[in-house]
Amino acid sequence: MRRWIFGLLLLGSVGAVFPRPVPAEAKLRVVATTEHFAAIASIVGGDRVDVRFIAKGYMDPHEIQPKPSFAIMLNQADLLLLSGQMLELGWLDEAMIRSNNEKILEGAPGYVDLSKEINLIPYSEHDLEDTPFFKLNFTRTGRKTGNHHFYTDPANGGPIAKVIADKFSDADPPNAAYYKANYEAFQKKLDQKVKEWDAMMAPYRGTKIVSYHRDWTYLAKRHGFQVVGYIEPRETIPPTAAHIAKLIKEMKE
């Protein structure tokens, strides 16, 4: 609690996080929950945006420890880019509330759900049973739910970039053509690379794999891998010794 109070006191000096440009050169201030979302935003936004991110690429997005700096970063953001599928459950909501920035709350213009153009793969009830995600996925009505690791299929970088470009254009109309051109160039290059990567992976279609987490579901679907087991029995639930022993036996078979 003391750390959060200290962080809130620092909001007055948030310029250290987002240096204030002169109005004529003002950039969109963007915060992404993960480094990979930020990377795409930087390509689409170019020199017209200032992009920050919270979770680095090597971090487990389920295990991020809340810090006062998150609220400070979010306080003056114009846009918040997030998975929209509860990837950040357990740490983002608290930071958003403490940021005191109504522009980025769910339902506000600055809240950018990057899953909205994705063909989501749904979780089964077994995948989420006894996890923090179960109640939110299977007891809330009217919520579009799906596996939140959609970014592991590289082709999904396209719809992610499209959502970002549209939001940048809405928030900064004078630069809309610039964002559109950057998005189209990105999509063209991505289409080319996806064809190359698909060709490289074609010999591995049908390969049986074991995944630690349900984070490779989209990549497995794309390349025809058969996921025969998970080290985590359900999403974010640590494995028991019995589960590991059973899994090892299945792997040997």
Side-chain angles (χ1 to χ4, degrees), residues 192-246:
Q192 172 190 337
K193 298 304 295 184
V194 167
K195 288 181 181 178
E196 294 177 13
W197 296 329
D198 285 350
M200 291 170 61
M201 298 304 294
Y204 302 98
R205 185 164 294 276
T207 298
K208 295 179 179 180
I209 67 171
V210 169
S211 179
Y212 185 90
H213 190 70
R214 284 158 179 78
D215 47 355
W216 299 109
T217 305
Y218 291 87
L219 191 69
K221 180 178 180 180
R222 177 166 202 88
H223 296 306
F225 300 151
Q226 296 183 46
V227 182
V228 298
Y230 298 94
I231 295 177
E232 285 184 344
R234 293 177 304 285
E235 202 76 328
T236 72
I237 300 298
T240 62
H243 174 76
I244 291 296
K246 180 175 180 291

Side-chain angles (χ1 to χ4, degrees), residues 97-118:
I97 292 169
R98 294 179 183 275
S99 74
N100 197 31
N101 184 354
E102 294 183 355
K103 292 189 299 184
I104 61 169
L105 296 180
E106 186 170 3
Y111 181 97
V112 185
D113 176 355
L114 298 178
S115 72
K116 62 184 296 185
E117 298 293 334
I118 301 293

Side-chain angles (χ1 to χ4, degrees), residues 6-245:
F6 177 67
L8 292 173
L9 291 174
L10 290 177
L11 289 177
S13 59
V14 74
V17 177
F18 280 111
R20 295 176 181 272
V22 296
E25 299 174 356
K27 298 181 179 183
L28 279 179
R29 290 176 291 202
V30 180
V31 174
T33 56
T34 68
E35 189 170 8
H36 40 270
F37 294 153
I40 296 175
S42 294
I43 293 170
V44 173
D47 60 4
R48 315 294 164 88
V49 300
D50 187 354
V51 181
R52 303 285 192 268
F53 59 87
I54 295 174
K56 295 182 178 179
Y58 61 82
M59 293 178 172
D60 181 347
H62 295 305
E63 299 295 334
I64 303 300
Q65 297 301 312
K67 297 179 180 179
S69 59
F70 299 171
I72 297 171
M73 190 184 301
L74 292 170
N75 174 258
Q76 289 198 351
D78 298 309
L79 300 172
L80 169 64
L81 313 182
L82 72 163
S83 75
Q85 297 296 316
M86 298 177 289
L87 176 73
E88 307 88 355
L89 183 68
W91 56 270
L92 182 60
D93 284 353
E94 185 175 4
M96 289 171 63
I97 292 169
R98 294 179 183 275
S99 74
N100 197 31
N101 184 354
E102 294 183 355
K103 292 189 299 184
I104 61 169
L105 296 180
E106 186 170 3
Y111 181 97
V112 185
D113 176 355
L114 298 178
S115 72
K116 62 184 296 185
E117 298 293 334
I118 301 293
N119 184 18
L120 292 166
I121 298 174
Y123 284 109
S124 70
E125 292 196 27
H126 172 73
D127 288 338
L128 302 182
E129 187 179 358
D130 299 325
T131 76
F133 303 98
F134 184 85
K135 184 176 181 181
L136 294 173
N137 271 273
F138 295 106
T139 63
R140 290 176 64 177
T141 59
R143 187 179 185 96
K144 182 182 180 183
T145 60
N147 185 303
H148 42 231
H149 298 287
F150 51 83
Y151 49 85
T152 59
D153 179 344
N156 281 339
I160 291 171
K162 179 64 164 57
V163 171
I164 292 173
D166 289 345
K167 277 293 184 178
F168 284 1
S169 297
D170 289 344
D172 181 20
N175 285 309
Y178 174 81
Y179 301 132
K180 180 181 179 182
N182 285 351
Y183 157 69
E184 290 175 347
F186 172 77
Q187 184 68 71
K188 182 178 180 180
K189 181 66 176 291
L190 181 62
D191 289 342
Q192 172 190 337
K193 298 304 295 184
V194 167
K195 288 181 181 178
E196 294 177 13
W197 296 329
D198 285 350
M200 291 170 61
M201 298 304 294
Y204 302 98
R205 185 164 294 276
T207 298
K208 295 179 179 180
I209 67 171
V210 169
S211 179
Y212 185 90
H213 190 70
R214 284 158 179 78
D215 47 355
W216 299 109
T217 305
Y218 291 87
L219 191 69
K221 180 178 180 180
R222 177 166 202 88
H223 296 306
F225 300 151
Q226 296 183 46
V227 182
V228 298
Y230 298 94
I231 295 177
E232 285 184 344
R234 293 177 304 285
E235 202 76 328
T236 72
I237 300 298
T240 62
H243 174 76
I244 291 296

